[in-house]
Amino acid sequence: MSSSLSSSSIIKQQYYTTSGLVIGYALCSSLLAIINKYAITQFNYPGLLTALQYLTSSLGVYLLGKLGFLHHDPFTIPIAKKFFPAALVFFLAIFTNTNLLRHANVDTFIVFRSLTPLLVALADTAFRGQPSPSNFTFLSLVVILAGAVGYVATDSGFTLTAYSWAFAYLVTITTEMVYIKHMVMNLGLNTWGFVLYNNVLSLMLAPVFWFLTGENFEVFTAIRSSTGSLFELNAFLAVSLSCVFGLLISFFGFAARKAVSATAFTVTGVVNKFLTVAINVTIWDKHASPAGLVCLLFTIIGGVLYQQSVTGNVLPQRDPVVVTKQNDVESSLVGDSDDESEGKGKHASL
């Protein structure tokens, strides 16, 4: 009897911990999308903006670790070599995401972001041996796809540049969603260890893309002339806020990613965009037409339907390794462990 009660208590604890991680990620992701859009509007240097976010997350983890507020795995060259491919995919996802936001409105970004659950579900089944989606689950993913297609068909602001970045973003974010999940389960780093590796390696990659895109010349010109958004207060505040939220999503993003399946994690990111859409319509004059917004609503409804189709199956589908790692998350979050939690870190609104 006591064993049964103990098992029930553990399952409830797992449920509430997982729910808390997902809610934290949803809030950070929704707000960060808006903050990043505002930041790139006020500070038109996307490469430098993301580099500052990488730097903030890296320094934040290092300093908090030194002060004893968290524990992270030490940065070593052998682990960095193994982690580098994942960091490169992550960096490319952020790079294409930022340029998509630069050339298209937030609604277009959300629609293409909403397509990822379908692709991730297919990739999970094809490459990671996950069970095929049920009929109801697949139907909900098709609803997402139909809404996205309808949006593209009614998008009066269609440009080849914007949709080229959108396609590149779709490919990289799908790869990132599936590949990073694999990395979480195999490298054995804790949450803040992943945050450190992900952001330090991405920071190292940033200068390469500055030179490839020519942004370094724009920044140097602005510094020499003491003009441009580099020296504006609004830009400073927007960049600072994006960096702080980037550090927060570093924890919630990968802790939630480890607690649920890759597709469920992706859909969580899709559903929380409803708040982004509402604020976007309120504060920006550049948004989708009424027909486009209806199609966008369909993608969100599809996300809700998918969530309903998998909610009852999350815990039973986990293998012993995942359960063990989830227990590490829970014990650390309630203060019973020296580790802060298991997971990985990201900084931007993917």
Side-chain angles (χ1 to χ4, degrees):
M1 183 67 177
S2 60
S3 176
S4 176
L5 290 176
S6 177
S7 299
S8 176
S9 176
I10 291 175
I11 292 176
K12 287 182 179 180
Q13 186 182 11
Q14 289 178 340
Y15 173 79
Y16 287 121
T17 301
T18 301
S19 299
L21 293 173
V22 171
I23 291 173
Y25 167 71
L27 290 175
C28 290
S29 180
S30 296
L31 295 176
L32 189 57
I34 301 167
I35 292 169
N36 277 347
K37 178 63 178 178
Y38 178 69
I40 201 171
T41 301
Q42 299 294 321
F43 187 79
N44 195 27
Y45 306 101
L48 182 57
L49 173 62
T50 54
L52 290 172
Q53 292 177 328
Y54 297 136
L55 179 63
T56 301
S57 294
S58 300
L59 288 178
V61 172
Y62 177 77
L63 293 176
L64 289 174
K66 286 294 185 181
L67 294 173
F69 289 103
L70 58 85
H71 169 76
H72 63 79
D73 298 284
F75 190 92
T76 63
I77 299 300
I79 296 296
K81 289 180 178 179
K82 294 179 181 178
F83 195 93
F84 180 79
L88 177 60
V89 173
F90 168 78
F91 182 92
L92 290 174
I94 298 299
F95 179 75
T96 54
N97 166 37
T98 304
N99 281 280
L100 173 57
L101 282 174
R102 194 181 189 186
H103 294 283
N105 59 37
V106 175
D107 298 326
T108 302
F109 158 69
I110 294 174
V111 165
F112 277 87
R113 175 66 176 77
S114 301
L115 282 173
T116 55
L118 177 60
L119 299 181
V120 169
L122 295 175
D124 265 351
T125 301
F127 302 112
R128 301 191 63 245
Q130 298 295 319
S132 300
S134 66
N135 292 336
F136 181 60
T137 298
F138 189 78
L139 177 63
S140 66
L141 295 172
V142 170
V143 172
I144 294 175
L145 177 62
V149 171
Y151 177 88
V152 174
T154 59
D155 185 11
S156 59
F158 178 94
T159 65
L160 183 60
T161 300
Y163 274 77
S164 295
W165 282 114
F167 179 76
Y169 170 70
L170 186 60
V171 172
T172 54
I173 191 60
T174 301
T175 304
E176 195 266 349
M177 286 290 175
V178 177
Y179 188 67
I180 296 298
K181 178 74 175 182
H182 173 74
M183 295 291 292
V184 169
M185 298 303 166
N186 288 279
L187 283 183
L189 298 173
N190 66 15
T191 298
W192 295 111
F194 274 109
V195 174
L196 185 65
Y197 277 90
N198 214 22
N199 286 282
V200 168
L201 292 174
S202 295
L203 183 60
M204 292 178 179
L205 288 168
V208 176
F209 284 81
W210 289 349
F211 286 97
L212 289 177
T213 60
E215 185 178 319
N216 58 307
F217 295 109
E218 298 177 21
V219 174
F220 292 148
T221 299
I223 292 175
R224 284 195 298 267
S225 61
S226 299
T227 59
S229 58
L230 281 174
F231 304 96
E232 295 178 0
L233 179 60
N234 286 343
F236 174 79
L237 294 176
V239 171
S240 299
L241 193 60
S242 72
C243 289
V244 170
F245 269 77
L247 183 59
L248 291 176
I249 204 173
S250 292
F251 171 74
F252 284 111
F254 280 99
R257 185 192 299 275
K258 183 169 288 186
V260 298
S261 71
T263 309
F265 174 84
T266 305
V267 170
T268 301
V270 172
V271 174
N272 71 50
K273 294 301 184 292
F274 181 81
L275 177 60
T276 307
V277 173
I279 298 178
N280 179 59
V281 172
T282 303
I283 67 175
W284 299 101
D285 57 354
K286 295 181 179 181
H287 53 74
S289 64
L293 290 175
V294 170
C295 293
L296 180 55
L297 181 61
F298 266 94
T299 67
I300 296 175
I301 292 174
V304 173
L305 292 176
Y306 171 82
Q307 192 65 47
Q308 291 298 316
S309 72
V310 300
T311 296
N313 299 320
V314 173
L315 285 175
Q317 289 178 346
R318 294 182 186 173
D319 56 37
V321 174
V322 179
V323 173
T324 299
K325 289 178 178 291
Q326 179 59 24
N327 288 338
D328 291 340
V329 176
E330 294 161 21
S331 63
S332 61
L333 287 177
V334 297
D336 295 333
S337 171
D338 291 333
D339 289 342
E340 284 299 309
S341 69
E342 295 285 326
K344 298 197 330 184
K346 62 200 291 182
H347 81 282
S349 176
L350 297 177

